[in-house]
Amino acid sequence: IQKVQRKGVFAPFTPSGFIVVNGIVASNYIAYQESQYLTMNNIQTPFTYQWVAHAFNSIHRLTVPLLFGTQETYTEQGISNWVAMPHRLMVWVLEQKSTTVSTLLLGLALLAISVARLIELLLLANTPVVVFGIFVVSVIIMARRLLSTHTTKTKKIA
């Protein structure tokens, strides 16, 4: 653990996605909606914004050291360039009136970041088979939760 003091506003990324500030554990990431879970077309998914953001950053953690060393670049507002464009894209997708467009784009993005997260876990794990098994079980649990949420909403509408 290292003490760092700086003046200004910062949004640090940590390997775990969490940070401790004044003894309080907080997420490094933001939520785009009122809920901690990503909601698509009025259906709450099993994906928390913490998980989505951390999985998205798996790509960052896997590629930046390999391709760019440790040099991170930032916008004039101090936002990592790695995050700035996807942030604008996410805001745009969530504002779309077409449920087909938003569902398709978010679905593809979730698939891509899930694969990146799995690759990261497998590379970091001492026992890749166990990690893969945990990942599969997690996907099944999230899919069951999504289906039960969808079924519940469908029953309420009917």
Side-chain angles (χ1 to χ4, degrees), residues 50-59 61 113-114 116-117 120:
Q50 173 72 27
W51 183 89
V52 171
H54 198 65
F56 167 76
N57 276 293
S58 292
I59 301 166
R61 288 187 297 274
I113 64 174
S114 295
R117 182 67 178 138
E120 180 185 35

Side-chain angles (χ1 to χ4, degrees), residues 6-26:
R6 294 185 180 146
K7 191 174 185 175
V9 178
F10 295 90
F13 286 124
T14 63
S16 68
F18 294 98
I19 189 168
V20 179
V21 179
N22 296 331
I24 298 170
V25 178

Side-chain angles (χ1 to χ4, degrees), residues 125-138:
N126 292 330
T127 54
V129 173
V130 172
V131 171
F132 184 72
I134 292 169
F135 181 80
V136 169
V137 169
S138 299

Side-chain angles (χ1 to χ4, degrees), residues 133-154:
I134 292 169
F135 181 80
V136 169
V137 169
S138 299
V139 168
I140 291 168
I141 290 169
M142 287 189 279
R144 289 185 71 188
R145 183 173 184 276
L146 180 62
L147 289 173
S148 68
T149 302
H150 181 68
T151 303
T152 302
K153 288 190 183 236
T154 304

Side-chain angles (χ1 to χ4, degrees), residues 67-135:
L67 301 176
F68 307 107
T70 58
Q71 296 300 314
E72 183 81 34
T73 58
Y74 299 89
T75 65
E76 289 181 13
Q77 296 79 24
I79 301 170
S80 165
N81 280 312
W82 172 255
V83 173
M85 178 58 84
H87 167 69
R88 287 192 301 272
L89 182 61
M90 182 70 162
V91 169
W92 179 82
V93 167
L94 291 173
E95 290 174 346
Q96 295 309 298
K97 302 295 182 221
S98 170
T99 57
T100 304
V101 170
S102 60
T103 301
L104 179 64
L105 291 174
L106 286 173
L108 290 172
L110 286 171
L111 178 63
I113 64 174
S114 295
V115 169
R117 182 67 178 138
L118 176 60
I119 291 169
E120 180 185 35
L121 289 171
L122 290 172
L123 290 174
L124 297 176
N126 292 330
T127 54
V129 173
V130 172
V131 171
F132 184 72
I134 292 169
F135 181 80

